[in-house]
């Protein structure tokens, strides 16, 4: 695991930025607003838990303390510590993901429409890359303690190219960054996107589209 110093540097560099850059969310109007996750209605966040009921436990979480299960087709697992999983983050404009990658594991191309992402490699050797709106691809091979920033909304991926496990922590300047996974979004949408749309977009036969859709049917 990375040293305490490198983790503190990572958090400080991202979370202690000048206020205009600190958060993609609206500025809070109170010190905190621990979210009531099961409230029937919410607008850009969750209603606040009564202050009289707030405890120190509301500001602490172990949601990303443990390794995720990478026994899947992508050999990867993403665990989110956003306002839904960690209600103490509600209205504070920050969140974090834990990305576990088995050898050869891939966090497939996706985007976060509501936040910029800052990755720090805790363990292993990974390739991280993104594509701009001008269709330019930027990528970098990173090792323990190194950082990589992904601008808000751009399609990107993380790939373990080392011989052992890899671990990345990703910080966001938004409490709910959102995730649009490219392949499942296009080929696993409910209701389904018409085959003719996808076959024309990807310049393939409809049979190819149906085959890909079958992999995301569940």
């Amino acid at each position: 695991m990375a040293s305490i110093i490198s983790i503190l540097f990572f958090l400080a560099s991202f979370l202690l930025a000048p206020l205009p850059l600190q958060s993609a969310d609206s500025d809070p109007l109170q010190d905190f607003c621990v979210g009531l996750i099961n409230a029937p209605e919410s607008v850009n966040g969750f209603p606040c838990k009564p202050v009289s009921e707030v405890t120190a436990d509301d500001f602490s979480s172990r949601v990303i303390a443990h390794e995720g299960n990478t026994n899947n087709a992508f050999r990867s697992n993403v665990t989110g510590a956003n306002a839904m999983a960690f209600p103490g983050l509600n209205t504070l404009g920050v969140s974090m993901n834990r990305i576990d990658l088995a050898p050869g594991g891939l966090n497939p191309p996706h985007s976060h429409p509501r936040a910029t992402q800052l990755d720090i490699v805790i363990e292993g050797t990974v390739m991280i890359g993104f594509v701009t709106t001008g269709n330019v691809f930027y990528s970098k091979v990173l090792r323990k303690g190194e950082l990589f920033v992904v601008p808000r909304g751009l399609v990107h991926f993380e790939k373990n190219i080392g011989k052992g496990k890899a671990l990345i922590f990703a910080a966001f300047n938004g409490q709910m960054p959102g995730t649009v996974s490219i392949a499942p979004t296009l080929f696993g949408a409910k209701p389904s996107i018409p085959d003719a749309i996808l076959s024309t977009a990807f310049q393939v036969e409809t049979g190819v589209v149906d085959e890909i859709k079958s992999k995301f049917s569940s």
Side-chain angles (χ1 to χ4, degrees):
M1 296 296 288
S3 68
I4 297 296
I5 293 176
S6 64
I7 293 177
L8 290 176
F9 173 78
F10 162 63
L11 294 174
S13 64
F14 191 72
L15 301 180
L16 300 183
L19 284 177
L21 302 178
Q22 185 171 340
S23 173
D25 300 338
S26 301
D27 290 335
L29 300 178
Q30 63 280 315
D31 290 340
F32 57 82
C33 174
V34 175
L36 290 173
I37 305 305
N38 296 321
E41 297 180 2
S42 64
V43 179
N44 283 338
F46 300 97
C48 301
K49 183 177 184 178
V51 175
S52 60
E53 298 177 14
V54 172
T55 70
D57 288 340
D58 290 311
F59 303 105
S60 175
S61 173
R62 294 183 55 81
V63 69
I64 58 173
H66 303 291
E67 182 176 357
N69 182 7
T70 58
N71 185 23
N72 53 62
F74 298 115
R75 298 181 61 78
S76 67
N77 186 282
V78 179
T79 306
N82 53 37
M84 180 71 75
F86 182 7
L89 297 179
N90 189 46
T91 75
L92 298 184
V94 293
S95 58
M96 183 172 286
N97 281 355
R98 176 188 176 124
I99 306 169
D100 289 288
L101 300 164
L106 171 69
N107 187 19
H110 61 283
S111 67
H112 302 290
R114 297 189 290 270
T116 292
Q117 174 176 334
L118 181 62
D119 289 343
I120 181 170
V121 179
I122 304 299
E123 178 184 359
T125 303
V126 300
M127 173 185 283
I128 304 176
F130 66 84
V131 181
T132 71
T133 56
N135 210 32
V136 179
F137 175 52
Y138 294 95
S139 68
K140 188 78 173 178
V141 173
L142 301 161
R143 295 172 177 82
K144 180 179 177 179
E146 296 181 331
L147 303 172
F148 193 85
V149 64
V150 178
R152 176 177 177 174
L154 297 187
V155 174
H156 61 285
F157 65 88
E158 293 94 4
K159 168 76 173 178
N160 183 358
I161 61 173
K163 295 182 179 180
K165 296 178 181 179
L167 173 61
I168 301 168
F169 284 150
F172 301 94
N173 65 336
Q175 67 181 41
M176 294 286 285
T179 300
V180 180
S181 297
I182 306 305
T185 297
L186 293 175
F187 295 97
K190 302 295 182 184
S192 177
I193 298 175
D195 287 2
I197 301 297
L198 295 174
S199 63
T200 300
F202 288 95
Q203 295 293 284
V204 297
E205 299 295 328
T206 56
V208 175
V209 172
D210 288 336
E211 182 178 356
I212 298 175
K213 281 185 175 181
S214 69
K215 299 179 183 299
F216 295 97
S217 60
S218 60

